[in-house]
Amino acid sequence: MDPKRIRNFSIVAHIDHGKSTLADQFLLKTGAITLREFKDQILDDLDIERDRGITVKARTVAINYVYQGETYELNLIDTPGHVDFHYEVSRSLAACEGALLLADAFQGVQAQTVANAYAAIEANLEIIPVINKIDLPVTRVDEVKEEIESVIGLDAERAMLVSAKMGIGIEAVLDAIVERIPPPSGKPDAPLQALVFDNKYDSFRGVVTYIKVVEGTIRKGQIIRFMKQKANFDVIELGQFRPQMVQCQELGPGQVGYLLTGIKNLANVHVGDTVADPQCLPPQPLPGYKNPTQMVFCGMYPIDATDFEKLRGELQKLGLNDSSFSFVPEASDALGFGFRCGFLGMLHMEIVQQRLEREQDIDLIQTAPNVTYELLLRGGEVCVIDNPVDVPDAGTIAEFREPVARVNFIVPVENIGVILQLSEDRRGTYRSTEYLGSKRAQIVYELPLSEIVYDMHDKLKSATRGYGTMDYEIIGFKPADLVKMDILVKSVKVDALSTIVHRSSAEKRGRALVKRLKSEISKHMFEIPLQAAIGGRIIARETISALRKNVTAKCYGGDITRKRKLWAKQKEGKKRLKQFGQVEIPQKAFLSVLEAGNDDF
């Protein structure tokens, strides 16, 4: 295929503005699928994507489109819209020359619309504004155009008007892609350079590597080198997604496809690596991708200890497919052996957990999530902590720093006061308010990440009746008056329940947490004290009373001394149980750290 007749583009938008539906229509209109094969969100092939109605993984598909008598190859990369999967979007944009910026004809520009638009602008892509859902009974097309111009700074005069659901205006968008998005700039006879932008593991064929050819041509049967790993492999199979995997003999510059080399070792393939010809290596590999920074961590432990190795294998496969996810082994006194996993956000964590439980049938105990902290020690050393258990004694800490994010809220004007109050309650620092027309405003706050990731999104949706949206980016670490709060169950510290809290809310959080634990832990044959402590100081306590068996039920009348003997014997037994008895802590108790935090505000 002549590179001048290739167009690589992405669709970026806020959640639920119609990206996957528009992608479906492109496939239908260009004949990539038949009406019989057509189904909603055909590119969302994970069960969890279909159940939730969201895109989690970026998917690529090559379609042919005839424009003015010539056949063009359009490589579409469908991307997620949620803030937690922004890294997937940035990777996809690196493989494109243009992007369709989708906005809802009624909801208009939302928080993730702005974030994804800026990501496309930074990647120097040609951006085509598209206003979707024009078939709605109530639309604000002219106002949405104004929002695109005033908030994002794009010229919306030539914005495309479509209804992805009804199939209106789809051909006009395809024409605009051919006319307005530039072709790739590579040369077919140059030394081979191809960018690895994704991977997935196939249990029968090994690692499937997704590539975009930047320079040169890659052919079936050719020997290639992964430059980061410095290892050579044969190209066993080469192909494109149309949308199913279709084999081909070669891929030229600008083309997007997949290759199979028979690699079974997951450590041999890295997202962002460069595929090259070992006989003619380029002087430098392609720039690749900036490594994502995991900001939310939690422990994942198999309920059945024999599942540990199975869990390790599945986490490795997930890590191959999702490079924004990380894991390291760890051990807990309360839970045994498991893994400390890092995520970009709470939804990302939830998706990974559900994929492990549903697709791989592994029963997990998940500890309460926490964010990453920086500690400046008295010796001048700076260390990064992602597990409260690792926090050293307070006497050795000179400064406790927490991650802070710049949060961009877009809310109806009548909800401004509620959002200001919500942000102030969570130790936010006000930055600016900007009005987007007469009905909506953009509010910018700087908030501690720990106050955002747990339930800020839910609180925002409740406060604005679903009309508010938010987007955030980490801007760095700032000093804060933070302390480590330990939970003691029967005077034994449970490391999996330790958490880091702000000193001003520590007592309130401690009381709420032990109260919640009391309702989650069932009664035992002995009394169980639950305590929250900061260092050696107990700040809250609750007691689970013992189950009491009526040992004198069989005694009818007679001498009271017999009953006293039985009571004394029971008392001694309870004393011994209290000393040696083990407390069973259920899975829900480990997540009560989160719920106790939600009760406070």
Side-chain angles (χ1 to χ4, degrees):
M1 173 67 77
D2 182 353
K4 290 179 182 172
R5 295 212 303 270
I6 295 173
R7 300 291 184 271
N8 297 316
F9 70 100
S10 216
I11 306 176
V12 293
H14 190 76
I15 314 154
D16 203 29
H17 279 203
K19 295 179 296 299
S20 298
T21 311
L22 183 61
D24 292 348
Q25 284 290 352
F26 285 159
L27 297 179
L28 190 62
K29 295 288 184 188
T30 56
I33 55 172
T34 63
L35 197 57
R36 189 173 62 83
E37 296 172 310
F38 180 75
K39 59 181 178 179
D40 291 341
Q41 286 90 48
I42 194 167
L43 295 184
D44 292 345
D45 54 358
L46 297 176
D47 288 342
I48 200 159
E49 292 180 314
R50 296 192 157 277
D51 288 353
R52 285 172 169 260
I54 59 172
T55 303
V56 171
K57 286 295 300 172
R59 275 291 309 273
T60 177
V61 61
I63 50 182
N64 288 338
Y65 180 62
V66 179
Y67 174 74
Q68 294 182 351
E70 289 194 26
T71 302
Y72 286 81
E73 183 180 294
L74 311 182
N75 290 304
L76 155 67
I77 300 177
D78 183 28
T79 60
H82 195 279
V83 61
D84 280 14
F85 304 109
H86 188 66
Y87 181 66
E88 284 282 324
V89 177
S90 66
R91 288 215 327 251
S92 303
L93 295 179
C96 299
E97 283 79 41
L100 302 182
L101 180 70
L102 210 58
D104 189 300
F106 176 70
Q107 294 181 6
V109 172
Q110 301 286 322
Q112 273 304 109
T113 319
V114 179
N116 289 334
Y118 287 160
I121 290 166
E122 283 171 20
N124 294 317
L125 303 188
E126 178 65 35
I127 302 172
I128 301 174
V130 179
I131 298 174
N132 189 22
K133 305 188 184 181
I134 58 168
D135 60 308
L136 290 174
V138 180
T139 60
R140 306 183 300 115
V141 173
D142 291 336
E143 289 176 45
V144 173
K145 284 184 179 180
E146 283 177 26
E147 288 174 8
I148 290 171
E149 291 183 351
S150 63
V151 180
I152 302 171
L154 294 175
D155 180 12
E157 190 62 39
R158 296 172 66 196
M160 315 300 296
L161 304 182
V162 303
S163 167
K165 186 178 178 183
M166 306 302 293
I168 300 167
I170 305 301
E171 288 89 348
V173 177
L174 290 166
D175 290 348
I177 290 167
V178 174
E179 293 164 4
R180 292 159 65 175
I181 292 177
S185 57
K187 298 180 179 63
D189 51 356
L192 173 64
Q193 281 183 292
L195 177 68
V196 177
F197 69 91
D198 208 349
N199 297 294
K200 79 171 182 180
Y201 188 81
D202 186 305
S203 50
F204 298 104
R205 299 190 289 178
V207 177
V208 181
T209 305
Y210 295 25
I211 59 166
K212 180 201 175 180
V213 182
V214 178
E215 294 280 359
T217 306
I218 187 168
R219 296 177 176 85
K220 185 178 177 181
Q222 180 180 351
I223 297 174
I224 56 166
R225 172 172 289 188
F226 288 101
M227 292 186 70
K228 187 170 183 179
Q229 198 63 24
K230 296 180 180 172
N232 294 355
F233 297 94
D234 290 333
V235 179
I236 298 169
E237 184 178 318
L238 196 64
Q240 290 180 298
F241 299 96
R242 289 183 174 271
Q244 306 306 324
M245 295 163 89
V246 176
Q247 294 188 40
C248 63
Q249 292 302 309
E250 64 177 42
L251 291 174
Q255 289 190 291
V256 175
Y258 71 92
L259 61 88
L260 286 167
T261 54
I263 296 174
K264 298 285 186 185
N265 185 358
L266 304 180
N268 282 342
V269 187
H270 303 273
V271 169
D273 199 357
T274 301
V275 172
D277 184 344
Q279 304 297 324
C280 188
L281 288 173
Q284 290 290 329
L286 294 167
Y289 302 107
K290 185 174 71 173
N291 285 332
T293 305
Q294 289 87 19
M295 294 308 298
V296 176
F297 289 81
C298 81
M300 285 191 177
Y301 296 83
I303 290 175
D304 184 349
T306 57
D307 280 341
F308 179 76
E309 285 304 323
K310 182 182 178 184
L311 177 59
R312 186 201 295 274
E314 296 306 330
L315 288 175
Q316 283 178 335
K317 291 175 191 174
L318 269 176
L320 175 80
N321 191 231
D322 181 358
S323 55
S324 57
F325 161 71
S326 67
F327 66 96
V328 290
E330 72 168 3
S332 161
D333 295 338
L335 302 172
F337 293 101
F339 295 92
R340 190 84 190 156
C341 303
F343 311 91
L344 298 180
M346 293 290 282
L347 179 66
H348 188 201
M349 180 188 79
E350 206 178 308
I351 294 290
V352 167
Q353 185 202 0
Q354 288 189 12
R355 285 186 70 182
L356 287 169
E357 289 185 336
R358 290 173 53 172
E359 295 173 19
Q360 312 306 334
D361 198 27
I362 300 174
D363 290 326
L364 294 171
I365 286 182
Q366 176 191 316
T367 64
N370 60 272
V371 300
T372 310
Y373 295 91
E374 262 186 15
L375 300 181
L376 174 63
L377 303 180
R378 295 203 181 276
E381 182 190 348
V382 175
C383 60
V384 177
I385 298 292
D386 59 43
N387 190 342
V389 177
D390 300 331
V391 176
D393 291 336
T396 64
I397 302 172
E399 193 173 73
F400 219 132
R401 300 169 185 161
E402 64 181 345
V404 175
R406 181 179 289 107
V407 188
N408 180 19
F409 298 101
I410 295 182
V411 298
V413 170
E414 60 268 23
N415 298 127
I416 290 176
V418 183
I419 299 307
L420 295 178
Q421 186 62 52
L422 185 66
S423 302
E424 291 294 333
D425 287 344
R426 294 178 177 233
R427 301 185 284 120
T429 305
Y430 173 76
R431 285 290 173 252
S432 65
T433 300
E434 183 184 340
Y435 286 87
L436 315 176
S438 59
K439 294 185 179 176
R440 293 197 305 154
Q442 179 175 280
I443 304 168
V444 180
Y445 256 91
E446 286 179 10
L447 280 157
L449 185 64
S450 59
E451 303 285 358
I452 299 169
V453 293
Y454 294 149
D455 67 331
M456 188 68 165
H457 191 262
D458 295 339
K459 298 283 185 191
L460 170 70
K461 289 294 181 186
S462 299
T464 60
R465 300 190 305 283
Y467 288 106
T469 58
M470 63 178 270
D471 171 62
Y472 63 86
E473 61 171 338
I474 311 298
I475 58 173
F477 288 83
K478 290 189 178 178
D481 189 10
L482 301 172
V483 289
K484 176 189 172 189
M485 185 171 72
D486 292 311
I487 300 298
L488 287 75
V489 177
K490 205 165 77 73
S491 303
V492 177
K493 195 184 289 183
V494 181
D495 52 5
L497 289 172
S498 295
T499 182
I500 295 170
V501 296
H502 195 266
R503 195 183 297 276
S504 63
S505 62
E507 290 193 21
K508 196 174 181 184
R509 286 287 292 269
R511 280 197 300 274
L513 181 49
V514 292
K515 208 172 189 176
R516 179 77 67 171
L517 283 172
K518 184 181 179 181
S519 66
E520 298 293 356
I521 298 174
S522 56
K523 285 186 175 185
H524 288 54
M525 292 300 292
F526 48 90
E527 188 181 84
I528 306 170
L530 305 171
Q531 297 166 308
I534 295 173
R537 186 168 71 92
I538 304 297
I539 58 171
R541 172 173 172 142
E542 290 282 344
T543 304
I544 302 174
S545 58
L547 278 171
R548 189 172 180 87
K549 183 182 176 185
N550 187 1
V551 291
T552 59
K554 59 188 176 183
C555 300
Y556 296 99
D559 192 352
I560 189 67
T561 55
R562 190 176 171 210
K563 289 187 178 181
R564 283 180 183 150
K565 269 184 188 174
L566 289 169
W567 286 330
K569 193 175 176 184
Q570 184 186 37
K571 194 175 179 182
E572 282 299 313
K574 283 191 179 291
K575 194 174 175 183
R576 197 164 55 251
L577 267 176
K578 192 170 181 179
Q579 193 173 349
F580 300 109
Q582 292 292 315
V583 180
E584 289 184 16
I585 304 175
Q587 154 73 26
K588 280 188 77 179
F590 292 102
L591 297 180
S592 60
V593 177
L594 273 183
E595 294 168 10
N598 296 351
D599 289 347
D600 294 350
F601 303 105

